[in-house]
Amino acid sequence: MPNGYTGSILRVNLTSGTWTTEHPEEIFYRTYLGGRALAAYYLLNDLPAFTDPLGPENELIFAVSVTTGARVPGLSRYTVAAKSPLTGLYGEAEASGYFGAEMKWAGYDAIIFEGCSPDPVYLAIVDGEVELRDAARLWGKDTGDVQAAIWEEMGDRKVQVAQIGPAGENLVRFACVLSGPVFSHVNGRAGMGAVMGSKKLRAVAVRGHQRNAVKDEEALRKLAVWFGQTWKSNPDDRLLREVGTAAYLSALNGAGILPTRNFSEGVFEATDAVSAEAMRRELDAGSEGCYACPVRCKHPVKSDGVYKIDPLYGGPEYESLAAFTSSQGISDVAAAAKANELCNRWGLDTIGAGVTIAFAQECLEKGIISEAEVGAELRFGNAEAMLAILEQIAFRRGFGDILAEGTKRAADKIGKGAEKLAMQVKGQELPLHDPRGKKGVGLGYAVSPTGADHLQIEHDGAFAAPGLFLDKIRPLGINEPVDVLSLGPEKTRLFTYLQIWWSLLNSLDWCFFTVAPVRHFEVEHVAQIVEACTGWNTSIWELMKVGERALTELRLFNLKHGWSREDDALPDRLYEPLPGGPMEGFRMDREEVEAAIDAYHGMMGWDERTGVPTEAKLEELQVCYPGWRPGL
Ligand code: SF4
């Protein structure tokens, strides 16, 4: 009986409606842990080059890790991964909540979907028993209705349901996957919802009545108690509990780097009206959280006002709030909260949707498209038009059908210089962080394997001065502060180490909001918890190598599917100076960015110019693609 993992990986062929179970040996789990690294292994080895992301050859993987489901804060996440229909490269998104732990208790470390079902289905697993069920009556329904219907059909409200909405069914390229019971838990990025929709897989429903075995329950209990008694001493975790990530909106505005009107400015004049404080004052519906975590950082909203907002669909976190306010010049916080509700109701990534609409607004403002073409006065600041176009996108109606392709493809179709206004990298829309004021984030946007992503590293400001956060990452070998505006070798080193660290956390499916480099658990706790779950005599050294191995495998995957260095290009706008505010005149510098990418490649053991991993690095990490699998 293994400790920490179930030892079972389910492979479901949706074309034939059949399934098999694989039982990898222990060394496979020790090499990959789970989550990102496990998904990278399968996608790299299973997918032929240039697989159609929306075709039957693509695989959709749900994965958890050797620590998921242990009764310790932060061990609740799960990964959804596939080749991305937005970028044509590796795609991945993590979410917290309750689904990950329940999937493991239901009996599986990963579920790999291949093929495409001829008719809508959902997968149900109860205590290891697998069933593909008809989902025809669920197709086209809101996520809340589908969750309720599955609970009723399975006769158990403790069934955890991860699903797509109508946007995923309609193959919107930035459709997401999300789970409840309150829909605050979103695998948002990279278009995983569209891949699931292409397979006609509406939902995965899991229930397990038996927790899986861990090696040292008492050690885990002590660590959970320590976290529970002391986490409020961490200022960032306290902020998450009291206000949530929405608090960052005012902070970024004060710093002059709040993306405003499609990243054309860094200060939004109506910030006070759309701040986290305003949202709490007008729309507060309490807090909620995830399995075994006392932080409860999610803040649902509700309203019976002009916009009816159902708290079942959670509330906007920072990215969503900025995407539907400053990014579009909208000063109505209730309208933004309604947009967030609709995205969770229909299964749209809020970043993809918000930034794509801001792109269309600027196209209209600049006369590249007309109101007649759009069918609405889709200008900056027009909340009604924003909500109307959101529906058109989710259901691929009218002009929404073009925007449902994401900014890159929409710009190609619109032409007339629209591509200059598309804020994307590799086809994925920029998150709501302007890298002109935190340059490590810009490097992350450029080199992220999944296209623009703000979760490559903890952001630059945390390590700009001595103090708590720098102290927390000293065990990783970072001892000196690094300026937020630096993009020299010291920043690249910080970036590389922290990207490997977060790659490890994504392989453990560990919530970033509970652990170093900024939140409460220390670096050393990660090794202690892996050891207590599995019984392995492990170390941070061994675990960091898993994070590094995953990044190198993702680079191999992307090379196989056509990536070249030219794809790591930031939007031109970021090389233009910010026009006002505290960061007036600041911009990214092309030569500096290119030099940082070279240095990053070198530090990763990849060829500096081409970014191709060297033979020596592949051997050091034991990435012997193709077809290599330890222990088999
Ligand atoms: S910190 Fe927040 S997102 Fe993370 S596990 Fe706790 S409640 Fe969930």
Side-chain angles (χ1 to χ4, degrees):
M1 182 71 180
N3 287 305
Y5 55 96
T6 70
S8 297
I9 292 177
L10 182 68
R11 189 179 278 274
V12 180
N13 186 311
L14 290 163
T15 305
S16 61
T18 57
W19 52 87
T20 55
T21 304
E22 299 175 11
H23 302 286
E25 293 178 18
E26 182 175 37
I27 192 168
F28 175 81
Y29 288 95
R30 193 151 181 163
T31 306
Y32 296 111
L33 297 173
R36 158 185 284 187
L38 185 150
Y41 166 78
Y42 279 106
L43 292 173
L44 176 60
N45 285 285
D46 289 357
L47 266 54
F50 302 105
T51 293
D52 175 2
L54 299 176
E57 282 183 332
N58 199 5
E59 289 182 351
L60 179 74
I61 300 179
F62 284 62
V64 295
S65 86
V66 297
T67 55
T68 309
R71 210 190 301 251
V72 173
L75 305 185
S76 58
R77 288 177 113 194
Y78 66 106
T79 296
V80 180
K83 183 171 177 178
S84 166
L86 264 182
T87 66
L89 301 171
Y90 177 77
E92 166 195 293
E94 280 77 25
S96 298
Y98 300 87
F99 179 88
E102 199 76 36
M103 178 178 128
K104 190 138 164 214
W105 301 336
Y108 295 100
D109 301 309
I111 307 170
I112 302 170
F113 294 98
E114 52 189 34
C116 291
S117 173
D119 301 301
V121 290
Y122 76 92
L123 183 82
I125 308 176
V126 179
D127 295 328
E129 292 298 314
V130 180
E131 192 182 353
L132 271 173
R133 294 183 169 208
D134 180 15
R137 76 187 179 95
L138 307 178
W139 209 247
K141 295 254 169 40
D142 290 355
T143 50
D145 295 340
V146 166
Q147 179 175 258
I150 290 176
W151 281 347
E152 190 185 346
E153 197 165 292
M154 294 180 68
D156 185 350
R157 288 177 64 87
K158 289 193 172 159
V159 168
Q160 298 300 328
V161 181
Q163 60 166 314
I164 57 171
E169 296 172 0
N170 295 325
L171 309 184
V172 176
R173 286 186 190 264
F174 45 84
C176 66
V177 175
L178 67 174
S179 57
V182 173
F183 291 100
S184 299
H185 314 296
V186 184
N187 306 81
R189 312 288 344 256
M192 297 298 94
V195 177
M196 199 157 155
S198 74
K199 297 186 175 306
K200 288 220 166 48
L201 177 67
R202 177 62 204 241
V204 181
V206 291
R207 182 77 170 106
H209 294 86
Q210 182 115 27
R211 285 163 204 272
N212 57 293
V214 292
K215 181 69 176 176
D216 190 344
E217 189 80 63
E218 180 57 16
L220 292 171
R221 192 192 66 76
K222 282 187 180 150
L223 283 159
V225 168
W226 172 84
F227 188 97
Q229 291 177 343
T230 59
W231 70 270
K232 286 185 181 163
S233 65
N234 181 286
D236 220 72
D237 270 332
R238 224 170 38 239
L239 183 73
L240 289 174
R241 170 57 175 271
E242 289 164 4
V243 193
T245 58
Y248 303 150
L249 190 112
S250 299
L252 289 176
N253 189 62
I257 49 172
L258 176 65
T260 300
R261 285 177 276 272
N262 200 29
F263 286 80
S264 65
E265 300 161 68
V267 176
F268 184 43
E269 64 285 354
T271 292
D272 287 349
V274 297
S275 65
E277 292 71 25
M279 191 162 63
R280 280 198 92 177
R281 207 167 46 238
E282 296 175 31
L283 308 167
D284 185 30
S287 68
E288 65 107 26
C290 306
Y291 165 72
C293 184
V295 179
R296 293 179 67 83
C297 68
K298 311 287 185 187
H299 295 268
V301 294
K302 64 177 179 191
S303 177
D304 292 318
V306 176
Y307 301 107
K308 308 281 180 244
I309 302 170
D310 186 342
L312 175 65
Y313 296 99
E317 298 192 34
Y318 165 71
E319 300 292 333
S320 314
L321 188 61
F324 291 116
T325 58
S326 62
S327 166
Q328 301 186 36
I330 286 173
S331 55
D332 183 339
V333 72
K338 182 66 187 177
N340 179 77
E341 186 225 71
L342 294 176
C343 285
N344 290 352
R345 194 182 270 277
W346 296 330
L348 288 163
D349 170 36
T350 53
I351 299 174
V355 174
T356 299
I357 294 172
F359 154 80
Q361 288 166 332
E362 190 170 3
C363 284
L364 201 145
E365 298 275 359
K366 289 200 155 61
I368 293 172
I369 54 176
S370 67
E371 282 181 23
E373 280 173 86
V374 179
E377 205 184 331
L378 189 64
R379 295 187 180 278
F380 288 132
N382 188 336
E384 286 301 325
M386 177 261 285
L387 293 171
I389 201 75
L390 205 51
E391 182 168 1
Q392 288 189 22
I393 291 171
F395 293 91
R396 279 192 175 271
R397 295 184 194 125
F399 193 71
D401 190 36
I402 293 173
L403 298 184
E405 293 290 292
T407 50
K408 185 169 189 292
R409 287 174 179 80
D412 288 345
K413 185 147 194 182
I414 292 166
K416 298 185 253 179
E419 71 279 359
K420 294 264 179 222
L421 310 182
M423 300 305 290
Q424 54 81 28
V425 177
K426 303 187 186 83
Q428 174 155 275
E429 285 68 35
L430 255 59
L432 284 301
H433 297 271
D434 195 319
R436 285 172 281 193
K438 38 182 173 179
K439 293 193 172 175
V441 170
L443 179 59
Y445 286 173
V447 303
S448 160
T450 59
D453 177 19
H454 62 296
L455 295 175
Q456 289 300 297
I457 57 160
E458 184 58 55
H459 294 192
D460 308 50
F463 315 109
L468 171 67
F469 299 141
L470 192 62
D471 288 345
K472 285 183 90 77
I473 58 169
R474 287 185 202 277
L476 298 181
I478 299 162
N479 284 299
E480 300 289 337
V482 182
D483 192 281
V484 286
L485 296 178
S486 156
L487 202 48
E490 68 286 351
K491 178 61 69 70
T492 309
R493 178 174 181 271
L494 175 76
F495 175 87
T496 305
Y497 283 20
L498 291 183
Q499 191 196 33
I500 290 170
W501 176 249
W502 273 17
S503 182
L504 161 64
L505 295 180
N506 275 340
S507 301
L508 286 169
D509 283 307
W510 199 312
C511 174
F512 296 156
F513 289 174
T514 58
V515 62
V518 169
R519 280 82 185 206
H520 195 48
F521 271 129
E522 302 289 349
V523 164
E524 75 227 32
H525 288 136
V526 173
Q528 289 170 11
I529 288 170
V530 172
E531 190 159 331
C533 285
T534 60
W536 302 333
N537 174 21
T538 191
S539 66
I540 288 300
W541 166 265
E542 182 187 20
L543 298 177
M544 289 282 281
K545 285 292 165 190
V546 178
E548 189 182 355
R549 182 178 300 116
L551 285 166
T552 293
E553 291 196 329
L554 299 189
R555 175 52 56 97
L556 291 177
F557 179 93
N558 284 349
L559 280 162
K560 182 177 176 181
H561 292 267
W563 173 89
S564 72
R565 183 180 166 135
E566 288 66 46
D567 295 318
D568 286 0
L570 295 173
D572 286 348
R573 176 159 284 170
L574 299 182
Y575 295 108
E576 296 165 6
L578 278 159
M583 293 300 292
E584 181 175 356
F586 284 86
R587 62 181 179 84
M588 302 294 287
D589 179 274
R590 279 185 204 278
E591 279 183 22
E592 201 177 45
V593 170
E594 289 304 314
I597 294 175
D598 282 352
Y600 166 71
H601 288 163
M603 289 182 196
M604 288 296 292
W606 305 344
D607 180 88
E608 282 198 11
R609 278 308 302 163
T610 64
V612 176
T614 61
E615 283 295 318
K617 180 51 72 175
L618 294 181
E619 286 179 4
E620 189 250 322
L621 294 172
Q622 294 186 296
V623 179
C624 301
Y625 163 80
W628 179 80
R629 177 161 165 177
L632 290 182

